[in-house]
């Protein structure tokens, strides 16, 4: 069974540009979450989507947005890029069938570099 | 607000040693706790999930325990191998938040040398 896929794997942008990252969850998984990972801050939660609705949002500025489609695929967008947005962006999916056993499976990440 | 701490931040051991990684969390109202492994520049691989009602879980050479009342978990790795070298992350699923949000520690960077 295919795992979580993220595209693109690597991205180089300049300050002020915008970027869209894509995540395809494991087949049958309806929940998608996004995290930002940096050496300084570790893993920080961005958003969570379930059934095309944003269920939770982390403490990030409004430049960070996302959405989920009817096939559970998700995208996140960052507008007006800043140098500090350089990070590994990770997507995770889960079945959301049981609260106690809901394992999250992570994709390989998208490495974003802002110059 | 849930906070997760991992000790030590880094660990370097010779091959064959048994080792223990520690994780603590501040709020015991959790659904579950997960241990992940991350290789440099890669995504996270789920190792073990312990439900809040469980005390431990085992997978091969890995054993994870959970003491929810004291807010602690340990990951025991038996007979370590160079291929175990990676960063190990602990994460909790907090009952005060949504299921899709995990609270992560900063990780323990493990190096196993031959």
């Amino acid at each position: 069974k295919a795992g979580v896929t993220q595209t693109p794997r690597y991205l180089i942008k300049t300050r002020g540009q915008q970027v869209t990252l894509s995540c395809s969850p494991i087949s049958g998984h309806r929940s998608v979450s996004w995290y930002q990972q940096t050496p300084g801050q570790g893993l920080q939660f961005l958003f969570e989507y379930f059934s095309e609705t944003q269920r939770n949002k982390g403490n990030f500025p409004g430049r960070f947005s996302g959405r989920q489609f009817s096939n559970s695929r998700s995208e996140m967008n960052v507008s007006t890029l800043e140098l500090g947005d350089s990070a590994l962006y990770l997507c995770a999916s889960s079945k959301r069938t049981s609260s106690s056993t809901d394992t999250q499976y992570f994709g390989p990440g998208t490495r974003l570099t802002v110059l | 607000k849930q906070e997760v701490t991992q000790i030590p931040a880094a660990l370097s051991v010779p091959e064959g040693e048994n080792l223990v990684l520690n994780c603590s969390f501040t709020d015991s109202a959790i659904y579950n706790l997960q241990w992940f492994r991350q290789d440099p520049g890669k995504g996270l691989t789920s190792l073990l999930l312990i439900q809040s009602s469980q005390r431990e879980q085992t997978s091969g050479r890995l054993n994870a325990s959970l003491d929810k009342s004291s807010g602690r978990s340990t990951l025991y790795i038996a007979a370590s191998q160079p291929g175990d070298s990676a960063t190990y992350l602990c994460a909790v699923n907090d009952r005060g938040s949504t299921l899709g949000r995990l609270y992560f520690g900063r990780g323990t960077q493990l190096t196993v040398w031959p």
Side-chain angles (χ1 to χ4, degrees):
Chain A
K1 168 161 128 170
V4 178
T5 57
Q6 293 187 244
T7 56
R9 293 291 312 279
Y10 303 91
L11 208 47
I12 299 175
K13 292 285 187 179
T14 56
R15 280 183 299 173
Q17 288 188 308
Q18 75 159 18
V19 67
T20 299
L21 312 181
S22 181
C23 171
S24 293
I26 293 172
S27 178
H29 285 197
R30 299 166 60 197
S31 174
V32 172
S33 297
W34 289 88
Y35 295 84
Q36 180 197 66
Q37 186 176 32
T38 60
Q41 299 295 322
L43 275 151
Q44 293 186 283
F45 171 77
L46 281 159
F47 345 86
E48 171 193 356
Y49 288 90
F50 179 69
S51 294
E52 302 178 65
T53 303
Q54 188 179 91
R55 302 294 174 146
N56 201 349
K57 187 177 193 306
N59 189 24
F60 279 82
R63 301 184 295 107
F64 291 80
S65 63
R67 58 179 175 169
Q68 186 180 34
F69 302 96
S70 58
N71 61 358
S72 294
R73 191 177 69 86
S74 178
E75 289 181 347
M76 66 164 282
N77 184 78
V78 187
S79 62
T80 320
L81 284 166
E82 300 178 358
L83 295 179
D85 297 333
S86 294
L88 181 66
Y89 289 86
L90 292 163
C91 164
S93 76
S94 67
K95 282 186 183 179
R96 191 66 69 81
T97 53
S98 164
S99 59
S100 59
T101 61
D102 194 55
T103 301
Q104 290 205 20
Y105 296 90
F106 282 77
T110 294
R111 172 72 63 185
L112 172 64
T113 302
V114 182
L115 302 176
Chain B
K1 180 191 168 211
Q2 182 74 259
E3 291 185 7
V4 181
T5 304
Q6 291 187 247
I7 295 173
L11 188 60
S12 181
V13 300
E15 182 177 6
E17 278 208 1
N18 301 322
L19 50 99
V20 175
L21 309 182
N22 296 291
C23 170
S24 61
F25 47 96
T26 54
D27 190 336
S28 62
I30 62 172
Y31 287 114
N32 57 58
L33 181 146
Q34 277 188 259
W35 283 93
F36 293 91
R37 167 188 172 136
Q38 185 175 32
D39 292 287
K42 303 290 179 63
L44 278 61
T45 300
S46 179
L47 298 173
L48 289 164
L49 179 146
I50 311 177
Q51 300 175 42
S52 62
S53 58
Q54 296 177 320
R55 297 285 293 184
E56 65 179 287
Q57 276 285 355
T58 299
S59 175
R61 294 182 294 108
L62 305 179
N63 176 276
S65 67
L66 175 64
D67 184 343
K68 196 176 65 167
S69 60
S70 68
R72 293 181 183 178
S73 176
T74 60
L75 179 67
Y76 175 83
I77 303 177
S80 58
Q81 303 170 357
D84 295 330
S85 298
T87 296
Y88 290 80
L89 293 150
C90 162
V92 299
N93 207 311
D94 191 306
R95 285 186 178 270
S97 184
T98 53
L99 278 177
R101 177 173 189 164
L102 292 177
Y103 291 84
F104 281 90
R106 296 301 300 270
T108 293
Q109 187 172 3
L110 173 65
T111 302
V112 182
W113 40 276

